Amino acid sequence: MPELPEVETMVRALKPPLAGARLQRLEILDPRLCHADDPDHLAARLAGARIATVERRGKWVVIALESPAGLIVIQPRMTGGFWLVPPPHPRHTRLIFHVERLDQPIRYCDARRLGKLFWHPDRHALDAACARSQGTDALQISRRELASRLAATSRGIKPALLDQKILAGIGNIYADEILWRSRIHPMRPANQLTPTQLTVLHAAIRPVLETAIAAEGSSFDAGYRTALGREGGFLAQNDVHRRAGLPCHRCGQPIQKAYLPGLIARPTYLCPKCQRLLPGPQS
DNA sequence: CGGTTACCCTGGATGC
DNA sequence: TGCATCCAGGGTAACC
């Protein structure tokens, strides 16, 4: 589930209780999510370590422990999330952080078990892992870097925005919002954007993501909730995602839902009038 | 090499 | 109520 705004919301919730506290024990209930090494070894290595910081890198949650306990990376993927309060589905609990002086432990729950846990011995190793699979964070990337990376691929702009190696943090919801705001069709070849479109696109990323962070992310159905169990409010104020058939906020045309090539089973929402694939009159 | 697809997992919602 | 079907915020290995 979580994209950059949801993961940022998680990190902000985790910082106060975790930063500076001692991790008495990490209880790994589901060894399958542990891609670090042997779960027992990992738990033994972390037991008693003090937590230095909690950070976000793209869609990753990084819990940095004081040396030599290393750094934990959690990728919540589709359905992972943290709970500072009792979770609604206790049987989905995969990790329990027992932290000193907290009333209750912090839980990591993941219904679909697609999420993963990694461990790195030091920041250098984390940086190397990041470099292998993550581009510059979507809130940090410059127009120049975005332009040069997009110029290197002829894929559609939406698949390119979803590619974490190009820039890190954007997922299906916010890609649609960013492209609507930029009036760019999702299948427009990334290397065919005009300089003006690149400027508009780059300028759209930050306000969309920051608005979503301020709303604590996007919730629908029984999916993502904040660590305190609240629903994210972004989908009450967004423009296209999950708005099929509803009028475009700019031109009134009904928003379309489409399944585009290269995006298997991942729906795209767009305004057919504002976001044309071929040159034509814009509303 | 670049681009596309299978597939990983499972629960909740929806439809019959 | 019970059962089948569909859908989902991500990411990567394998394939063409």
Side-chain angles (χ1 to χ4, degrees), chain A residues 12 27 52 136:
Chain A
R12 290 182 184 189
E27 200 176 336
T136 302

Side-chain angles (χ1 to χ4, degrees), chain A residues 76 111 172-173 190 199 226 250:
Chain A
N172 202 40
I173 293 176
T199 298
T226 72
R250 269 193 307 250

Side-chain angles (χ1 to χ4, degrees), chain A residues 170-238:
Chain A
I170 295 173
N172 202 40
I173 293 176
Y174 302 109
D176 284 354
E177 297 298 321
I178 289 163
L179 290 171
W180 178 87
R181 184 182 274 241
S182 309
R183 306 188 192 217
I184 298 171
H185 190 283
M187 282 297 112
R188 188 75 193 274
N191 60 1
Q192 287 179 24
L193 297 183
T194 66
T196 300
Q197 284 178 315
L198 283 166
T199 298
V200 170
L201 176 67
H202 178 258
I205 292 173
R206 177 171 291 276
V208 166
L209 296 179
E210 287 187 344
T211 300
I213 291 169
E216 298 190 305
S218 296
S219 291
F220 58 82
D221 298 341
Y224 162 80
R225 296 292 183 274
T226 72
L228 296 177
R230 290 197 293 261
E231 293 193 19
F234 182 73
L235 291 184
Q237 58 184 101
N238 72 321

Side-chain angles (χ1 to χ4, degrees), chain A residues 52-131:
Chain A
T53 63
V54 185
E55 306 158 22
R56 180 187 61 75
R57 293 210 185 184
K59 301 176 190 174
W60 300 359
V61 175
V62 178
I63 298 173
L65 301 139
E66 287 186 353
S67 181
L71 303 94
I72 307 169
V73 173
I74 293 169
Q75 301 181 4
R77 300 275 182 111
M78 294 278 264
T79 47
F82 290 88
W83 290 87
L84 299 182
V85 296
H89 304 288
R91 73 182 186 284
H92 297 158
T93 304
R94 311 299 175 196
L95 295 173
I96 304 179
F97 294 80
H98 297 275
V99 180
E100 68 177 354
R101 285 198 292 275
L102 285 190
D103 293 338
Q104 53 189 324
I106 295 175
R107 290 174 172 80
Y108 170 78
C109 299
D110 185 353
R112 279 169 73 180
R113 297 202 286 176
L114 295 172
K116 294 186 172 179
L117 167 67
F118 296 92
W119 178 83
H120 299 290
D122 52 37
R123 224 161 248 288
H124 181 74
L126 171 67
D127 290 342
C130 259

